[in-house]
Amino acid sequence: MRQPLVLIPGLLLTDDFWREQVARLSDVAQCIVPSCHYDMDNFSDMARAILAEAPETFALCGLSMGGYVAQEIMRQAPQRVTRIALMDTSARADTPEQTERRRALIKLGQIGRFRGVTPQLLPVLLHPDNLSNTALTDRIMAMAEQIGRDGFIRQQTAIIARPDGREDLKAYSLPALVLCGRQDALTPLELHEEMATLIPGAKLTVIEHCGHLPPLEKPDETAAALRGWLAA
């Protein structure tokens, strides 16, 4: 029987982000990509909205900002989550420097230069070799346009206010996968090594020659890691 799998995308990403994973995992998982949280500016509300629509129990996977939402879901309703995968994310709160950068991007959006935000982000989202892949970059830009300026500002506002969740990870008692791209410039490998150490029994998977977005950049390798985790 296929198990429900909730897949939460990251900042400026939509359900299209998970397209390759849904195609590769649909024989073993009932894939659900929520969109009910797009108009919210804090993770508590986002988690509540996703939980309200989710099956009674489910496997949970979140990438980047989606990983922050996944951790909040675990704070609110751990009994409903059967297994968790945290991808290219962090359990730490924002540093002052990160918050300053986010506020600068918010300001760009507020003064009407939202279209300039995503090109600024692309070099930290993708492996350098993928920056010339226009099919990939155009797709990311299209998803960002769908979320829009106001959605971007709300998402960044939520990210700035997130708590440090490292202590919470120690209480996880379920199959856990921590996955990241080797060349992730936004949430580096050491943050994932930290999470994998804190979560009892977690498996750490590093995707080679890959940046911050393994499900897009390395779909086959990512799906293989998810299949192993779903079967654990």
Side-chain angles (χ1 to χ4, degrees):
M1 194 169 96
R2 296 188 307 155
Q3 56 185 305
L5 168 60
V6 174
L7 298 161
I8 308 178
L11 177 77
L12 288 175
L13 301 171
T14 70
D15 60 333
D16 184 58
F17 175 75
W18 294 109
R19 188 202 313 165
E20 287 82 1
Q21 300 310 305
V22 171
R24 287 162 173 76
L25 299 172
S26 60
D27 61 319
V28 293
Q30 175 199 345
C31 297
I32 302 160
V33 185
S35 59
C36 55
H37 60 295
Y38 288 171
D39 62 348
M40 298 169 184
D41 64 0
N42 67 86
F43 292 140
S44 294
D45 286 348
M46 291 184 191
R48 275 192 290 272
I50 292 169
L51 283 164
E53 291 190 354
E56 186 56 35
T57 59
F58 54 90
L60 177 61
C61 173
L63 176 135
S64 195
M65 185 194 82
Y68 306 147
V69 180
Q71 291 172 68
E72 179 58 27
I73 287 173
M74 284 293 293
R75 282 187 278 271
Q76 291 188 17
Q79 74 283 359
R80 292 181 58 187
V81 181
T82 59
R83 59 193 69 235
I84 188 164
L86 297 172
M87 290 187 181
D88 299 86
T89 189
S90 170
R92 297 183 172 223
D94 244 14
T95 64
E97 294 76 20
Q98 288 171 322
T99 295
E100 188 177 338
R101 285 196 295 272
R102 293 189 203 283
R103 293 198 189 283
L105 289 170
I106 287 172
K107 189 173 182 181
L108 265 184
Q110 288 171 332
I111 63 174
R113 294 180 58 191
F114 172 67
R115 286 177 181 270
V117 169
T118 308
Q120 282 194 32
L121 292 174
L122 285 173
V124 294
L125 291 177
L126 296 172
H127 187 282
D129 290 351
N130 290 326
L131 288 170
S132 58
N133 182 338
T134 54
L136 208 56
T137 56
D138 287 353
R139 190 166 154 199
I140 293 168
M141 298 280 282
M143 286 189 276
E145 285 298 316
Q146 188 175 336
I147 297 296
R149 181 196 70 174
D150 292 346
F152 171 74
I153 292 171
R154 286 191 292 264
Q155 290 180 349
Q156 288 285 27
T157 300
I159 292 170
I160 288 169
R162 76 185 187 278
D164 189 303
R166 284 175 287 180
E167 281 300 311
D168 299 322
L169 300 185
K170 297 176 183 178
Y172 287 13
S173 57
L174 71 178
L177 170 68
V178 178
L179 181 147
C180 76
R182 173 76 69 181
Q183 287 79 28
D184 186 339
L186 208 54
T187 51
L189 175 58
E190 54 263 30
L191 293 176
H192 298 81
E193 291 171 335
E194 178 180 62
M195 289 188 290
T197 299
L198 290 169
I199 300 172
K203 175 178 173 58
L204 175 65
T205 297
V206 181
I207 306 296
E208 301 296 337
H209 204 75
C210 183
H212 187 63
L213 304 177
L216 280 185
E217 297 181 78
K218 295 286 184 176
D220 290 334
E221 294 88 336
T222 302
L226 287 173
R227 289 182 83 90
W229 162 72
L230 287 166

